[in-house]
């Protein structure tokens, strides 16, 4: 397992400005119980008018976990009443840009507003991504350090770890397992060595939430999600497929889930609730398809929706 502090060796000293916008240091509101906040529910690259980029906040008691950090995540967090500096752990399902486009604002603003640290966890390549991110953050940090005369290194703030399905993660509040899914089956793996796409299962105090991340149908995913209280699943519809060029349509067919396949997954896993996030164009016929394959409650996620469990 690869684990690193980011920015070692770069002469980064940091600082902070006790003024203006940086005065907002009141702690984030305390939360009790478990809930999900669907910060952004849009899938795929590019800005959208109807949905922010994929990002989901998991709150367990007073602990926060972010799963994916799509574009616009800083503003979505603000609308949910949470500052970047109050998000210490970020899990990336895979390293397509629609899942990490918001990382710069998340991490750099977290540092600039005196956060104590942020750790990125994700598939192979996450540590490399964090090194690159740290280099970008240094540009800002160097200036702010010079302005304040203080010394606060990016290296002391940003950490990263490549997760493997074997290793997982636990912190005494949640236990996280990962499984390699089928989002990367068609690619030439020789050109992206080690690339993996992960689904995550968070277990906490007898409750469980599973995030499919982006995936096609795959053996083992239903067992992985068995009995979860909430399954947060991606979905790609016929309308989504119709909007992409022919070479990408096969990707949509094989490496994403259709409404019927999402319903089947939820049924086979026996989950208590299905939440659709990372979606595009969804109409009533699509939802009827899901419901034809899964009899439990189905939520078509919308940005900033809160789901208690
Ligand atoms: Zn995606």
């Amino acid at each position: 397992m690869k684990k690193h502090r980011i920015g070692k060796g770069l002469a980064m000293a940091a600082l902070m400005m006790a003024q203006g916008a940086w005065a907002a240091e009141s702690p984030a509101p305390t939360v009790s119980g478990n809930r999900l906040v669907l910060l952004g529910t849009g899938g795929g690259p590019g800005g959208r008018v109807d949905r922010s980029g994929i990002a989901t906040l998991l709150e367990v008691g007073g602990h926060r976990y972010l799963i994916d950090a799509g574009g616009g995540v800083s503003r979505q967090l603000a609308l949910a009443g949470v500052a970047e500096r109050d998000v210490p752990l970020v899990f990336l399902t895979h390293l397509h840009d629609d899942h990490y486009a918001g990382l710069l604002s998340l991490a750099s603003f977290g540092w600039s507003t005196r956060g104590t640290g942020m750790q990125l966890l994700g598939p192979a390549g996450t540590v490399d991504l964090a090194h690159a991110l740290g280099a970008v953050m240094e540009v800002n940090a160097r200036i702010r350090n010079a302005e304040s005369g203080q010394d606060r290194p990016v290296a002391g703030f940003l950490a990263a770890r490549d997760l493997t399905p074997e290793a997982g993660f636990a912190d005494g509040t949640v236990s996280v397992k990962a499984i390699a899914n089928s989002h990367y089956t068609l690619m030439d793996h020789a050109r992206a060595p080690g690339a993996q796409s992960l689904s995550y299962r968070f277990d906490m105090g007898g409750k469980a939430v599973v995030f499919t991340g982006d995936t096609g149908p795959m053996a083992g995913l239903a067992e992985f999600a068995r009995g979860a209280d909430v399954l947060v699943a991606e979905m790609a519809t016929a309308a989504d497929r119709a909007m992409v060029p022919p070479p990408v349509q096969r990707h949509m067919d094989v490496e994403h889930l259709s409404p019927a396949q999402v319903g089947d997954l939820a049924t086979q896993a026996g989950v208590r609730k299905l939440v659709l996030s990372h979606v595009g164009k969804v109409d009533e016929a699509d939802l009827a398809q899901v419901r034809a394959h899964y009899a439990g409650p189905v939520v078509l996620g919308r940005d900033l929706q809160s789901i208690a469990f």
Side-chain angles (χ1 to χ4, degrees), residues 68 81 120 166 177-178 246:
D68 285 327
L120 309 183
E166 299 74 35
K177 295 193 188 86

Side-chain angles (χ1 to χ4, degrees), residues 42-45 54 68 93-94 96-99 183 213-214 234 256 278:
I54 185 71
D68 285 327
T93 57
H94 64 295
H96 273 149
D97 51 6
D98 55 318
H99 294 254
H183 191 50
D214 290 12
E234 70 124 272
H256 286 287
H278 193 283

Side-chain angles (χ1 to χ4, degrees), residues 116-288:
T116 54
M118 182 177 292
Q119 186 172 14
L120 309 183
L121 303 104
T126 299
V127 168
D128 293 340
L129 174 68
H131 275 289
L133 177 63
V136 177
M137 290 171 64
E138 297 267 359
V139 176
N140 163 74
R142 190 174 301 122
I143 294 167
R144 294 203 185 281
N145 283 341
E147 289 170 333
S148 70
Q150 296 183 43
D151 183 18
R152 191 160 173 267
V154 167
F157 177 81
L158 188 62
R161 187 171 135 193
D162 288 355
L163 287 179
T164 62
E166 299 74 35
F169 169 89
D171 65 357
T173 300
V174 299
S175 169
V176 184
K177 295 193 188 86
I179 184 174
N181 60 37
S182 65
H183 191 50
Y184 285 168
T185 53
L186 299 175
M187 72 194 294
D188 177 357
H189 282 270
R191 297 180 62 181
Q196 262 191 338
S197 177
L198 303 176
S199 301
Y200 288 120
R201 179 186 180 109
F202 285 68
D203 283 280
M204 65 226 92
K207 300 277 188 174
V209 180
V210 172
F211 300 85
T212 63
D214 290 12
T215 186
M218 62 167 281
L221 189 51
E223 186 57 39
F224 183 73
R226 177 78 57 213
D229 294 273
V230 185
L231 173 63
V232 182
E234 70 124 272
M235 184 173 76
T237 65
D240 297 327
R241 186 184 190 277
M243 291 178 65
V244 298
V248 186
Q249 287 179 353
R250 180 155 166 69
H251 161 71
M252 300 293 277
D253 292 341
V254 175
E255 298 181 324
H256 286 287
L257 295 169
S258 72
Q261 289 165 341
V262 171
D264 284 341
L265 173 62
T267 295
Q268 290 161 14
V271 299
R272 298 171 71 90
K273 180 178 285 187
L274 172 61
V275 174
L276 304 170
S277 192
H278 193 283
V279 294
K281 285 182 172 289
V282 183
D283 62 21
E284 278 306 316
D286 297 314
L287 294 176

